[in-house]
Amino acid sequence: MDRNRYPVDPWALRETALPLQPETAETLFAVGNGYLGIRGSSEEGHDAVCPGTFINGFHESFPIHHAEEAYGYARAGQTMLPVPDPTVMRIHAADEPLHLPVADLERYERTLDLRRGLLERDLIWRTPVGVRLHVVSRRIVSFTHRHLAVMELEVTPLDGDLPLTVVSSVVNRLDADPASHTAAPPSPTAEWDRAVVPDPRKAGGMEAHVLQSTDLWCDGPRSYLGYHTAASGMTLGIGVDHRCSSPEEILEHEEHHADAVSHEFRVHARRGHTVRLVKYVAYHTSRSSQPGELIQRCRRSLDDAVAIGADRLYGEQREWMNGFWQRSDVEVLGRPDLQQAIRFNIFHVAQAAACSEGHGIPAKGLTGTGYSGHYFWDGEIYVLPFLSYTTPEISRSALRFRWTMLPAARRRAREINMEGALFPWRTINGLEASANYAQGTAQFHIDADIAYALMLYARASGDWDFLTCTGVDLLVETARMWFDLGFFRQDGDRWFHIDGVTGPDEYTTVVDDNLYTNIMARGNLWDAVRTVRALEQNRPDAYTRMVERVGLRPDEVNDWQDAAERMFIAYDEELQVHPQDDQFLFKEVWDLPHTPDADRPLLLHFHPLVIYRYQVLKQADVVLAEFLHSDQFSSEDKLRDFNYYEPLTTGDSSLSAVAQAIMAADIGHVARAVHHFTNLVYIDLADLHHNADDGIHIASAGGVWSALVYGFGGMRDDTGVPQLDPRLPDSWQGLRFRITLAGSRVRVELRPGEVELTLEDGPATTLRVRGQEVAVRPEGPTTVPLELHSRLTEPPTMSDIAGRLRSDGTVIEPTLPSHSAHRNDPEPSSEAREHSASQSPIRHSPDT
Amino acid sequence: MDRNRYPVDPWALRETALPLQPETAETLFAVGNGYLGIRGSSEEGHDAVCPGTFINGFHESFPIHHAEEAYGYARAGQTMLPVPDPTVMRIHAADEPLHLPVADLERYERTLDLRRGLLERDLIWRTPVGVRLHVVSRRIVSFTHRHLAVMELEVTPLDGDLPLTVVSSVVNRLDADPASHTAAPPSPTAEWDRAVVPDPRKAGGMEAHVLQSTDLWCDGPRSYLGYHTAASGMTLGIGVDHRCSSPEEILEHEEHHADAVSHEFRVHARRGHTVRLVKYVAYHTSRSSQPGELIQRCRRSLDDAVAIGADRLYGEQREWMNGFWQRSDVEVLGRPDLQQAIRFNIFHVAQAAACSEGHGIPAKGLTGTGYSGHYFWDGEIYVLPFLSYTTPEISRSALRFRWTMLPAARRRAREINMEGALFPWRTINGLEASANYAQGTAQFHIDADIAYALMLYARASGDWDFLTCTGVDLLVETARMWFDLGFFRQDGDRWFHIDGVTGPDEYTTVVDDNLYTNIMARGNLWDAVRTVRALEQNRPDAYTRMVERVGLRPDEVNDWQDAAERMFIAYDEELQVHPQDDQFLFKEVWDLPHTPDADRPLLLHFHPLVIYRYQVLKQADVVLAEFLHSDQFSSEDKLRDFNYYEPLTTGDSSLSAVAQAIMAADIGHVARAVHHFTNLVYIDLADLHHNADDGIHIASAGGVWSALVYGFGGMRDDTGVPQLDPRLPDSWQGLRFRITLAGSRVRVELRPGEVELTLEDGPATTLRVRGQEVAVRPEGPTTVPLELHSRLTEPPTMSDIAGRLRSDGTVIEPTLPSHSAHRNDPEPSSEAREHSASQSPIRHSPDT
């Protein structure tokens, strides 16, 4: 990270000179609220590289053309659309436009203010006519009015008078120049036989003229635009209003056509007198309403916003942010550099999720077109833990959104000859949009990821009613899918096996008994069994309604229990590690130490068939499973598995560092945890994966919180009572975070040798610290002393780990294990089980 | 097969009424010579459903758009193009056109004459003006002039005089109406979210106006057309000439434009007087010459043809066929029905291959657009054995064609990060055209299939010089590929493993240690080792040139030997079967007995991920390997493996029945062999796979010969001296076939209890019959008595086999084997080795 350009500031990302990679800066300085997002392109517009304004769920559809077809392949692609861009407010000083790349700037500073939720730019321009202009612009996407963005410009001549013009526009850039906005699939060229490797992570393409104009009204400083999409049939309404103030007379003028409206404000500005232009923009979208109706909604949104006024809206924004940070802030004491990066990530999670109600959380939030704006498993595994422990109502709405996708997931299961529901690997509208089944549909684990997030939410929030009345459907339909997918081997082994799946690690695909999948499926099945049984026993009314909704058959729950109890969990007795899948340990080991950087990430330099032949990981897989179901593995298992897989893991997936950081801390290798955490927290700020221009890695951003709280904080909550087993890095003076447990907000402050627990809000509650129960009461903080490295063996050094791969030039490979060897813990430990039982959703249901 | 419409005739396929499936009949009645092929559409043209004229290798290219890209995916698609159609010769009787579907026909018979190589139609039409016309048409594609087709019409009024017009055309139907000729990929529809399942076996699509006109000349009854293709840059010249004869005066007229020429002949025909119109058509194509140059070649071809005249050309054709049948005929005594079907298949192999020099043998020959006219492994494994033992010069040219593809195969290997050469799974021009790597590029076994066919050709033909001077490059480059693909496991096992490949059975893909692949790779490596060493020792000149051509390094041959010796061949000790791959026996068994016919073939009704999870086969895989390397497996192995895999094999691949028939005969289950043979021989005649409209299954047609000679004849030639271990079905009176061994043509006549060997041509030679050496001499036939079922155990009944799957409603599954159990025969038996050594190409090379 360029610290000259981006100085340390614990509460802001500040840019003190024009960015060297403007497209990356547009990502970093994006503002949004989970419903509406605007990339950080400049107000002038002309110098924007990849501008983009996005509305969660607003997408175009297109047929997926498979080069070779087969039964059941996904048929409908979807891609998030950039909506008309509201950012342009272009200044002309005596007819000379401000154009940053060539402007003579005396001052330039841009600040993403993490405490105010506001983007501000402050510059002094020496205009060609010799007068310096002080130009301050501000931009928010409101957290309190989700359809609303407010932006403003304050222009003050410093040295004399001059004629000023500001042109404010809303422009449909997509159809003006589609190529600049989305990466289309490779076009026909004369060089078909050469290897051209587009980055598969980029967004898919669309037809020309996607946004078709339906409405266009102009009313003084206010305009409305209406559109529908060419194929998906979605509708869009936009309203824009302006308030211009100046001591001098203001001349207004409008121009408008289907793909752009412009409002022009002219003032003969006087030295020291400020011209202020405030622009209010409202967006509404729909799948059913006409654009005309959406324009009416925009009218009401604008009326409200103008009545409140920009300054009060900024105040509301700051207030919202205050509340957010009270619940969500994580502080690393004595490290303002890390502090800045941490808050930057957490802030972007808020911007991706806060007002996402009715939609999912896109992989890159609303900050760019990467991954086409699709929802993956990322939300459930990397973002919802943070939200469930800080702002659980957002988790609830994300899980409710999954529930609304159940009908589509049921249909998808039928399409590929399965029972229950199979959630799409990537989607916006609920239909599977992955065109590559080996890395898409085969990731059946998404069903278990959703079930996992649901149970985590219920435990964290105490909102068992959601599980009882709604969420249980998700458990039932996903359990059905697992029972259908796997099978009991009929011969000697008799375990329940799950063949032909892809785990999180996409450097092997369509494998048998992927450990992550089997562990997560087992959890899913148990959760379904316990929830349905508890419902039957304690909430017969809800049980009956559920049975009606999902058509539960009498024998199903026993089947699920049987499958969960007999789930095959492979274990290699000789190596004493858990194989990632049945074949994994038999493969050749990829020689990572001798793979040059130029050949990374592997997926962009090697054919999948090459990568699949080797023991090499795109992301942690076993290690992730051992974090998520921490109570099912011994410390020794975790240590050995971490040590085995760590040197095989490329981290080519941005998600990998989360589990690696957490589990490195878990096994006591705190320095390694800090290494991964550093990679994680700077992934976009330092553009470590060379694709920050596509948008913020929201799952990594959520994972920053996980790495801090689960990793260094050592929190686990598999069993109902959250436990802490902290590992404070030596270089940190302390770590302070908050978790909200069923309404009780507890501040955890970790200092060398002790941890202090303070109840900040809500009723008294209980945690465990290294096995010891600690009551957290309103009376005041409780301090618990920590023995350093209690229960930890001496951690391995990194050279030990790397040494596994090569010593004396020889690859050290695993000895051939007996294939049938395995160790099977069909259920969590009995202690864990007891906790789960006592946490049965039904007994805790407030209305029983 | 509709025996009323298609009566038994051992030397012809006769059609006695208009076909019910005209598109299928167009396939069955196709004529061709391996260079040029014409589907059996009627002379009238209007009623043609899928007319098509094809030239081997004449193709269009297009970029492959992958819905999701990745490194190294195939980039260039290719599809065989229909060239302008020469078949139309339309009769108008007093201005009323003959249109078969509505014509009042007193007689209709169409005959594909297998002895004359000629298609003839004979009909009597009651014209609307009351006069009956006798219309005889004939069509050949010449086996002796490969660029030439001849067709003619003889029209005779039977009841009176009438004005007759015949319009003869050559029409570029492709660009006139592309949709009717090639199945395009699914087009965008509003129903993306519904499962639409195009048959992936159909051909790919192309852009509009593919054939772009460059030349058009007309000169009396002769015309020339020149084209080039829009993208692939190939050129095409066509010439057509006419000779019309009649006792009455003939009026001629021509019309021509870029996509069609028509020549009109008008006669006032008299009762009993025959009007005869002969049409000569010549095609030349090129990748480099201009169309004008090709037209000159057409002029010379036409000049020659007209000088010879149609009747003598028919005579030459018949003579060629005589020679062909002398070498190639297989007779089943007492079964004229089977006889007809057998000859039909063998005839179509001749039509696909005879004049294919410079090209491969497309999967559907030149009879339709199925598989886009691509060359697969089919040629090497299913067609070249037949050709090598009957007309070896065609095999040689096919193998030479592979050799010319070596540079492209080397490039392909580099593209996917490999050494040596990797042949494309499907191609016309040498570039990989498979858009689905799991079922395409992953079928690395194609390299070994080519090497296998090369060695078989050399053994059968005695043409060791080809191997010495050319073919050895193929062995070296493929051996390199195998050595790079596999690896020596470093731990206890230490065998050479090949991971991440797809075997012939595409119902599992990207598996580890596929038995077929490992067996064939081992053979490939051994062949490379022995050939290179023999060359070094005995032909230093050729060795030096080879080393220069392929850059052989000193250590490579030892590496290959090491890999061959240590090749991992899995064996399950408990089940006593060879697993198809490392994981195969651990999968769930597909319940085939309860899979309704409506759900077949599985690939059109189940998602690949579903099929991959099960023990179920598209085609025989282990069983095929045990046929091709018969000497490496004991009779007991073959019996047990056959019994294990037979009930799991769907036969959804048309190739499957070949190996199943041969190996059913091998293990002594002759009735089962007859069952598979029947499915094989009627695959197109009875349209058993419902896609005969796409063209003749040429590999199956070649496999008919293999099933007869290898299966019932029991021939094996792994070791240099061909052996016979016949199994004559009880229902057959005898089986008579010919094999040519290094120029010695031996007639083998199998009768109950004995086999008679007769030298028909060439010098004396030696065969083995059930282990006993038998000299075959010019003096006369040798008769060898056979004990029935010698060496055979009592064969299992089919109910035994089916019983493995279900008895009492329970699926019988294999017991879990110890994974590391295997039995490894690193080399052929010592006897086999000795033979190979004594058959070293070099010692037999005529010039040493």
Side-chain angles (χ1 to χ4, degrees), chain B residues 552-709:
Chain B
L552 192 74
R553 298 182 302 273
D555 53 333
E556 284 190 283
V557 180
N558 292 335
D559 284 346
W560 305 338
Q561 175 170 356
D562 204 17
E565 281 175 349
R566 290 160 65 188
M567 182 69 70
F568 182 77
I569 306 297
Y571 183 74
D572 185 292
E573 295 286 358
E574 292 191 38
L575 281 175
Q576 298 194 298
V577 299
H578 288 84
Q580 181 171 308
D581 60 68
D582 274 358
Q583 285 301 96
F584 189 82
L585 298 179
F586 300 109
K587 293 173 194 274
E588 194 169 5
V589 173
W590 188 289
D591 183 7
L592 270 184
H594 292 89
T595 304
D597 283 349
D599 282 352
R600 298 189 182 202
L602 302 187
L603 77 158
L604 295 186
H605 299 91
F606 296 90
H607 193 283
L609 284 169
V610 178
I611 296 172
Y612 295 169
R613 289 201 294 272
Y614 288 87
Q615 292 193 43
V616 65
L617 275 64
K618 189 174 175 197
Q619 69 181 281
D621 195 291
V622 170
V623 166
L624 175 61
E626 295 185 353
F627 156 56
L628 296 177
H629 283 286
S630 195
D631 59 325
Q632 300 180 22
F633 297 88
S634 70
S635 300
E636 294 70 28
D637 281 342
K638 293 172 188 169
L639 176 64
R640 282 189 301 257
D641 286 338
F642 183 88
N643 284 346
Y644 186 82
Y645 289 104
E646 182 73 356
L648 304 176
T649 306
T650 57
D652 287 348
S653 163
S654 60
L655 302 174
S656 191
V658 181
Q660 287 176 286
I662 293 170
M663 293 307 285
D666 188 292
I667 63 165
H669 198 326
V670 181
R672 190 74 189 154
V674 170
H675 164 83
H676 285 302
F677 177 71
T678 308
N679 280 339
L680 185 62
V681 79
Y682 287 111
I683 204 164
D684 291 314
L685 283 169
D687 198 10
L688 298 178
H689 280 247
H690 311 296
N691 58 359
D693 54 333
D694 275 351
I696 296 287
H697 292 84
I698 295 300
S700 305
V704 164
W705 186 90
S706 292
L708 289 163
V709 173

Side-chain angles (χ1 to χ4, degrees), chain B residues 78-133:
Chain B
Q78 304 139 37
T79 190
M80 182 172 73
L81 285 181
V83 295
D85 176 7
T87 58
V88 178
M89 299 174 82
R90 195 172 299 145
I91 302 170
H92 300 252
D95 294 341
E96 298 294 331
L98 171 57
H99 184 49
L100 290 187
V102 297
D104 184 357
L105 298 178
E106 185 178 296
R107 175 159 93 200
Y108 171 89
E109 184 166 271
R110 184 156 66 148
T111 306
L112 182 65
D113 188 320
L114 308 176
R115 204 148 30 181
R116 294 196 291 158
L118 179 143
L119 178 66
E120 187 169 73
R121 191 183 70 180
D122 186 325
L123 59 82
I124 296 176
W125 172 33
R126 292 178 201 275
T127 66
V129 295
V131 176
R132 291 178 307 153
L133 278 187

Side-chain angles (χ1 to χ4, degrees), chain A residues 75 192 490-491 583 813 819, chain B residues 75 192 490 583 813-814:
Chain A
R75 311 218 56 77
W192 306 324
Q490 296 296 312
D491 53 17
Q583 286 301 98
E813 288 191 74
H819 179 77
Chain B
R75 312 218 57 77
W192 305 325
Q490 297 295 315
Q583 285 301 96
E813 288 192 74

Side-chain angles (χ1 to χ4, degrees), chain A residues 381-600:
Chain A
I381 295 299
Y382 295 97
V383 179
L384 263 52
F386 161 62
L387 294 172
S388 295
Y389 284 106
T390 56
T391 313
E393 51 273 28
I394 306 179
S395 281
R396 187 185 204 275
S397 100
L399 291 161
R400 229 191 148 277
F401 171 67
R402 286 290 190 191
W403 182 81
T404 65
M405 289 166 70
L406 256 182
R410 287 192 189 100
R411 281 200 305 275
R412 179 63 184 154
R414 296 312 159 272
E415 271 174 26
I416 66 162
N417 320 99
M418 299 196 67
E419 315 251 311
L422 178 60
F423 283 91
W425 178 243
R426 55 189 301 169
T427 193
I428 295 176
N429 62 8
L431 300 179
E432 176 64 271
S434 169
N436 175 349
Y437 71 79
Q439 296 184 5
T441 301
Q443 297 205 41
F444 294 96
H445 66 80
I446 188 163
D447 268 28
D449 303 331
I450 293 168
Y452 183 91
L454 171 66
M455 299 307 293
L456 184 148
Y457 162 74
R459 274 199 308 274
S461 67
D463 176 14
W464 296 105
D465 222 38
F466 176 72
L467 185 69
T468 303
C469 301
T470 306
V472 62
D473 298 5
L474 289 166
L475 295 179
V476 167
E477 294 288 22
T478 52
R480 281 174 166 162
M481 190 285 290
W482 290 117
F483 189 72
D484 184 44
L485 179 64
F487 73 110
F488 295 104
R489 201 167 279 157
Q490 296 296 312
D491 53 17
D493 130 343
R494 313 201 72 77
W495 296 110
F496 189 76
H497 292 267
I498 302 179
D499 285 353
V501 306
T502 299
D505 170 34
E506 294 171 343
Y507 278 178
T508 52
T509 63
V510 194
V511 297
D512 298 339
D513 288 321
N514 166 254
L515 185 102
Y516 178 90
T517 304
N518 287 19
I519 288 285
M520 295 296 286
R522 180 165 75 179
N524 191 163
L525 289 161
W526 274 123
D527 287 332
V529 168
R530 294 201 198 96
T531 304
V532 169
R533 291 222 173 111
L535 219 59
E536 185 175 16
Q537 212 175 323
N538 305 325
R539 287 283 301 271
D541 52 332
Y543 178 78
T544 307
R545 285 195 299 274
M546 179 274 289
V547 168
E548 276 176 21
R549 283 197 307 274
V550 300
L552 191 74
R553 299 182 302 274
D555 53 334
E556 283 190 284
V557 181
N558 292 335
D559 284 346
W560 304 338
Q561 176 170 356
D562 205 17
E565 282 175 348
R566 290 161 65 188
M567 183 68 71
F568 181 77
I569 306 297
Y571 183 75
D572 185 291
E573 295 285 359
E574 290 190 40
L575 282 175
Q576 298 194 297
V577 299
H578 288 85
Q580 182 171 307
D581 61 67
D582 273 359
Q583 286 301 98
F584 189 82
L585 298 179
F586 299 110
K587 292 173 195 273
E588 195 170 3
V589 173
W590 188 288
D591 183 9
L592 271 185
H594 291 90
T595 304
D597 282 351
D599 282 352
R600 300 187 179 205

Side-chain angles (χ1 to χ4, degrees), chain A residues 61-77 185-189 191-200 231-232 411-412 415-418 426 431 433-439 441-444 484-493 497-501 509-510 512 582-583 585-589 602-610 612-614 810-820, chain B residues 61-77 185-189 191-200 231-232 411-412 415-418 426 431 433-439 441-444 484-493 497-501 509-510 512 582-583 585-589 602-610 612-614 810-820:
Chain A
S61 300
F62 54 88
I64 300 177
H65 296 293
H66 296 279
E68 221 175 291
E69 273 290 345
Y71 179 91
Y73 277 8
R75 311 218 56 77
S187 56
T189 71
E191 310 180 319
W192 306 324
D193 53 339
R194 294 206 211 138
V196 179
V197 188
D199 185 336
S232 69
R411 281 200 305 275
R412 179 63 184 154
E415 271 174 26
I416 66 162
N417 320 99
M418 299 196 67
R426 55 189 301 169
L431 300 179
S434 169
N436 175 349
Y437 71 79
Q439 296 184 5
T441 301
Q443 297 205 41
F444 294 96
D484 184 44
L485 179 64
F487 73 110
F488 295 104
R489 201 167 279 157
Q490 296 296 312
D491 53 17
D493 130 343
H497 292 267
I498 302 179
D499 285 353
V501 306
T509 63
V510 194
D512 298 339
D582 273 359
Q583 286 301 98
L585 298 179
F586 299 110
K587 292 173 195 273
E588 195 170 3
V589 173
L602 302 186
L603 76 159
L604 295 186
H605 300 91
F606 296 91
H607 192 284
L609 284 170
V610 178
Y612 295 170
R613 289 202 292 272
Y614 288 87
T810 320
V811 176
I812 302 172
E813 288 191 74
T815 53
L816 182 73
S818 160
H819 179 77
S820 57
Chain B
S61 300
F62 54 90
I64 300 177
H65 297 291
H66 297 278
E68 223 175 289
E69 273 292 346
Y71 180 90
Y73 278 8
R75 312 218 57 77
S187 55
T189 70
E191 309 179 321
W192 305 325
D193 53 339
R194 294 204 211 139
V196 179
V197 189
D199 185 335
S232 69
R411 280 200 305 275
R412 178 66 184 152
E415 271 174 26
I416 66 163
N417 321 96
M418 298 196 68
R426 53 189 303 169
L431 301 178
S434 171
N436 176 348
Y437 71 80
Q439 296 184 5
T441 301
Q443 297 204 40
F444 294 96
D484 184 44
L485 179 63
F487 74 110
F488 296 104
R489 200 168 279 157
Q490 297 295 315
D491 54 15
D493 135 340
H497 292 268
I498 302 178
D499 285 352
V501 305
T509 63
V510 194
D512 299 338
D582 274 358
Q583 285 301 96
L585 298 179
F586 300 109
K587 293 173 194 274
E588 194 169 5
V589 173
L602 302 187
L603 77 158
L604 295 186
H605 299 91
F606 296 90
H607 193 283
L609 284 169
V610 178
Y612 295 169
R613 289 201 294 272
Y614 288 87
T810 319
V811 177
I812 301 173
E813 288 192 74
T815 53
L816 181 72
S818 161
H819 179 79
S820 56

Side-chain angles (χ1 to χ4, degrees), chain B residues 349-365:
Chain B
V349 177
Q351 295 208 124
C355 305
S356 63
E357 201 269 318
H359 306 286
I361 301 167
K364 297 250 178 177

Side-chain angles (χ1 to χ4, degrees), chain A residues 9 26 71 235 289 302 312 350 435 504 618 690 755 768 783 800 810:
Chain A
D9 180 332
E26 285 169 1
Y71 179 91
T235 50
S289 301
L302 289 178
R312 274 178 56 205
K618 189 175 174 196
H690 311 295
V755 59
R768 289 186 185 200
T783 303
D800 290 344
T810 320

Side-chain angles (χ1 to χ4, degrees), chain A residues 76-87:
Chain A
Q78 305 139 39
T79 191
M80 183 171 74
L81 285 182
V83 296
D85 176 6
T87 57

